[in-house]
Amino acid sequence: MNKFMKKMLVLVIVICLVVSFAVLAVACKDKQQNDGYTYTSYSTALATNWNPHTWETNADQNIYYYLTTPLVDMSIKNSTTGEYQWVYEMATDVKDVTADHRDDLSKFGTDVKDATKVSEGYVYEISLNQNAKWENGVKITADDYIYSMQQLLNPDMKNYRANLYLSGESALAGAYEYYYSKDDVLYKTVQEAGYASNDEAIAKGETVYLDMWNFWGLYGAVDANGNECPQYVSITDTTKYRDMAVEDGEPGDWISASDIYNDESFNEKFQVGGGYAAYLCIIVKNENMGYPYENVGCYKVDDYTIRYVCKSYLDINNFLVSLTSNWLVYKDLYEGLKDTSGSIVTTTYCTSKETTMSYGVYKLDSFQEGKQMVMTQNPNWYGFTTDEDGKLISYTNFNVDGGKVQQYQTTKIVINVMDDASAKQAFFKGEISEYTPSAEEFNTYKFSDQFYSYDETYTLSLFFNTNEDMLKEMDKSKGNTNSIVLSNINFRNAFSLAVNRTEFVTATPGYKPSYSLMSDVYYYDIFNDISSVYRKTDVAMQAIVNMYGIEYGEGTAYPDLKTAYESITGYNLTEAKALMKKACEELVAAGLYTAGQEIKIQMAWAAGAISSDDNKQITLINNYINAAAEDSGFGKITLTGVGNLSNRYIVVPNGEYAIGYGAWGGAALYPFRNFQVYMDPSQYDINEAANYDPTTETLTLNIQGEDVTMTWQAWSNCMIGSGKYAAASNEVKLEITAKLEEAFLSTYYRIPLCTTVASSLLSYQVSNYTDNYSEMYGFGGLRLMKYNYNDQQWADFVKSEGGTLSYV
């Protein structure tokens, strides 16, 4: 080979190497893009605000959790037995130090009478993770936590999520006083202000205000001049505001605070002790003006230690639950984004990529408003190391099923905006990772290996307005005929017994029959016993057996309590017919109903349009009640479901509708507080507010052999915070809970029908860690989700299947 040829060969080799390196560089880039693990989801609308101090929607909350890390978390210890474990994250330890810091109880104003006798449940010390950093690499210290709590409670900002720390079981001592420290006046109910009646308050020169937003839903409503309706309006104010719940906007659809207060259907309930008294208030002088943050019980011990002083007693496990979310914000960014031009200071923190600072497993990579969000791994998250290829990887610092396992295998999260129909199409093309089947599709996919479902806490019920005056008014002006029948307890009892719940749930696949307020997924001591299901305790079963009058024991059809309980279907047409006949006789004798007349009642059924499933349910309900009413003296009964309601839970107690359909759920790990939603109007909008006044009406229960009388409201709060039985044993709390459940069900203000089931299809690309769902850790969550294909392998698989996948 001559020199020329050798030179040409070298040149060719060099060129080839350059080209090869270029191709290799492109190939490596493609490989990095395609050998990752992308979880693609969808939403009908993107989150708009994931600021931990102000987020509101579920979509907001979901993004917030991707970009943050809690102080503690729960995860799997044994997926076969369902055993869970606490996992330290932004905290490395949490200790109850109440015994050593009793002085904090008086210093920060806790709800305890004698601090010298308190040894636990108030003061907690949190050791912080010294490896934790912000997305930009700056270390996170105790100063960040104290600054963030101070901003969360900032009296100039009135942040929405401060409510988690102002009241409730995890309330922070001193937080309420600091939050309102710049309000020279506070809104208190007439009763809280010390007046025996509204008239007494007015006679002494007080102005009584009506909460127009929460009572009548007039947030955003305007008067004839376009002025927005304030939240609080004097009960003498005659300014009329457009009733946003009414579609046609006729002159009669405008309403004032005076109209509402003086309406004969409402006025009595607005009086002190009435069911609507919580919506009336007067202005009182704030005695804690200038209250400093130094008097708030969240303070720094050293650079990596803080203490948290609870307002009232909270055991260690429930305190840990409160730490499964975080309140951290990045000071420089938070301050720089503040707007001080208005009466309230605001910030745009965590509303875009540029305004977000992550300290979670993922960081916000891109945000296209109305289109897409993309999150990628945060290299400064303390849990990541790099493998031999330089990729970020993480393993649990705790054992799962006996050993360390890879966690957060997902390298990218993409959320696209699309409607449900488009999402379904995309899922079967392999373009998104999860799809929620409709009720009609439940049976189609329930045997798929990729189908996951679990029982939820939500119990769907019919709830009633039983107030005679309101029912009469609804018959005059709300399209009803003889809805007065609902005022009779035997009518409502018969209605309940007439419902064939086993059949009813077939109208919506995935639902399960329910005969009680709380389902099978409530645990009374799960932190110590994962089998501690409330519904399976003797006292809880006995309550429902009593409700339905089931006898057991020698000489009966059921040898024991459990057998009797398991026999319950809630359906007894014979007894329903007898009660209907009795109800008709009582109503006729009282002059409230004329035998044989037709009954028409509109039901506040749905937030959206009435669906085909809704119509099936409504048809069944009509069939059931008419079967019970046959030959009873009642005429034909027609129940009509109404949809597109902004808040069906308020329109029933407000007297717009006589029947509502909806659900309560939550607090699965502490059922002892559940009755607040039915009995405590100071914390919840009571669906049954037109029926009774839980703040003044009393209930006597025999607890541990002693007759105890309290208001329904007091009973609902007696097992939490500073309640009478807050420190009682689980045995006592279970007895109270079961007897409260029986007592409230026996009013038939609410008829439980079914519980809900959540379900989803996962793409073949991914699998949950376990098929055994737990209230404590789900199926293992994103933390332990496993990938069967990387992105390139997944694309190849979908292509090999012709671009369309089958999940049946």
Side-chain angles (χ1 to χ4, degrees), residues 56 95 117 307 338 400 550 579 625 682:
E56 292 189 34
K95 293 179 180 177
K117 296 181 179 180
R307 288 200 190 108
K338 281 184 177 180
V400 179
I550 309 296
L579 286 168
I625 196 167
S682 67

Side-chain angles (χ1 to χ4, degrees), residues 352-388:
S352 67
K353 172 178 167 52
E354 294 73 24
T355 60
T356 299
M357 182 66 73
S358 167
Y359 61 96
V361 181
Y362 301 96
K363 60 184 179 66
L364 186 56
D365 193 66
S366 65
F367 177 70
Q368 300 176 64
E369 190 172 350
K371 293 183 179 180
Q372 185 187 74
M373 296 182 79
V374 178
M375 286 163 282
T376 55
Q377 290 172 304
N378 173 14
N380 278 314
W381 184 62
Y382 57 85
F384 280 132
T385 58
T386 53
D387 63 12
E388 61 273 14

Side-chain angles (χ1 to χ4, degrees), residues 126-130 139-146 299-306:
I126 304 170
S127 300
L128 302 174
N129 187 334
Q130 299 188 30
K139 291 180 75 68
I140 297 173
T141 69
D143 290 329
D144 293 290
Y145 284 90
I146 303 307
Y299 64 92
K300 173 183 175 180
V301 177
D302 58 43
D303 284 348
Y304 290 100
T305 309
I306 62 173

Side-chain angles (χ1 to χ4, degrees), residues 492-509:
R492 302 192 304 274
N493 188 355
F495 193 168
S496 177
L497 292 170
V499 177
N500 184 339
R501 291 161 175 81
T502 305
E503 180 186 41
F504 180 78
V505 297
T506 63
T508 307

Side-chain angles (χ1 to χ4, degrees), residues 9 16 56 63 132 139 144 198 252 378 380 394 447 523 612 618 643 734 738 746 753 773 791:
L9 180 60
C16 286
E56 292 189 34
I63 304 306
K139 291 180 75 68
D144 293 290
N198 298 342
N378 173 14
N380 278 314
S394 182
F447 296 115
Y523 299 83
S612 59
I618 293 165
L734 285 168
S746 297
L753 300 177
Y773 181 83
D791 292 346

Side-chain angles (χ1 to χ4, degrees), residues 68 72 122 138 239 276 395 417 438 442 526 548 570 672 684 779 803:
T68 66
V72 298
Y122 281 89
V138 174
T239 305
Y276 297 151
Y395 289 89
V417 173
S438 65
F442 187 93
I526 197 168
Y548 291 98
F672 306 135
Y684 295 92
F779 295 107

Side-chain angles (χ1 to χ4, degrees), residues 90-106:
M90 294 293 280
T92 58
D93 194 16
V94 177
K95 293 179 180 177
D96 186 336
V97 295
T98 305
D100 295 327
H101 296 280
R102 290 190 178 94
D103 54 328
D104 279 353
L105 304 182
S106 55

Side-chain angles (χ1 to χ4, degrees), residues 408-651:
Y408 299 114
Q409 189 178 3
T410 301
T411 56
K412 181 192 291 186
I413 298 167
V414 178
I415 303 174
N416 293 313
V417 173
M418 57 179 69
D419 58 35
D420 292 335
S422 300
K424 178 179 179 179
Q425 187 177 35
F427 177 77
F428 289 103
K429 287 183 177 180
E431 296 171 357
I432 61 175
S433 305
E434 186 172 5
Y435 167 66
T436 301
S438 65
E440 293 92 336
E441 297 170 318
F442 187 93
N443 289 330
T444 302
Y445 300 112
K446 67 181 180 181
F447 296 115
S448 170
D449 289 341
Q450 292 301 105
F451 182 81
Y452 292 87
S453 69
Y454 61 92
D455 293 342
E456 295 184 298
T457 59
Y458 295 97
T459 298
L460 282 159
S461 309
L462 294 175
F463 54 94
F464 304 105
N465 184 323
T466 67
N467 182 281
E468 286 190 18
D469 292 335
M470 291 187 183
L471 292 170
K472 289 175 182 177
E473 181 59 35
M474 281 184 255
D475 287 344
K476 291 178 184 177
S477 62
K478 305 298 182 183
N480 289 351
T481 303
N482 287 314
S483 59
I484 189 68
V485 297
L486 293 176
S487 65
N488 185 280
I489 190 172
N490 288 314
F491 183 93
R492 302 192 304 274
N493 188 355
F495 193 168
S496 177
L497 292 170
V499 177
N500 184 339
R501 291 161 175 81
T502 305
E503 180 186 41
F504 180 78
V505 297
T506 63
T508 307
Y511 285 11
K512 295 184 176 181
S514 178
Y515 327 107
S516 55
L517 294 174
M518 285 187 282
S519 66
D520 293 338
V521 291
Y522 283 92
Y523 299 83
Y524 62 89
D525 191 25
I526 197 168
F527 303 113
N528 299 303
D529 179 5
I530 59 175
S531 66
S532 59
V533 177
Y534 163 72
R535 194 78 275 154
K536 293 181 179 179
T537 63
D538 284 352
V539 287
M541 289 191 290
Q542 185 67 57
I544 308 307
V545 166
N546 292 346
M547 264 290 301
Y548 291 98
I550 309 296
E551 296 182 353
Y552 62 91
E554 187 176 349
T556 70
Y558 308 107
D560 52 43
L561 172 62
K562 184 179 179 183
T563 308
Y565 173 75
E566 291 175 345
S567 75
I568 294 172
T569 65
Y571 179 58
N572 188 330
L573 185 57
T574 301
E575 187 175 351
K577 281 177 169 289
L579 286 168
M580 275 290 184
K581 183 173 174 54
K582 183 178 181 181
C584 186
E585 292 170 352
E586 291 172 344
L587 287 161
V588 170
L592 296 173
Y593 175 74
T594 300
Q597 286 187 344
E598 191 171 6
I599 299 166
K600 295 181 180 180
I601 302 175
Q602 294 195 78
M603 301 185 292
W605 194 268
I610 298 292
S611 67
S612 59
D613 280 349
D614 290 325
N615 282 324
K616 292 176 187 175
Q617 292 177 332
I618 293 165
T619 297
L620 287 172
I621 290 292
N622 273 279
N623 293 342
Y624 299 147
I625 196 167
N626 278 286
E630 186 178 6
D631 299 325
S632 65
F634 287 118
K636 180 183 178 183
I637 302 174
T638 302
L639 307 178
T640 303
V642 179
N644 295 315
L645 297 168
S646 59
N647 191 332
R648 62 190 186 278
Y649 299 100
I650 287 180
V651 293

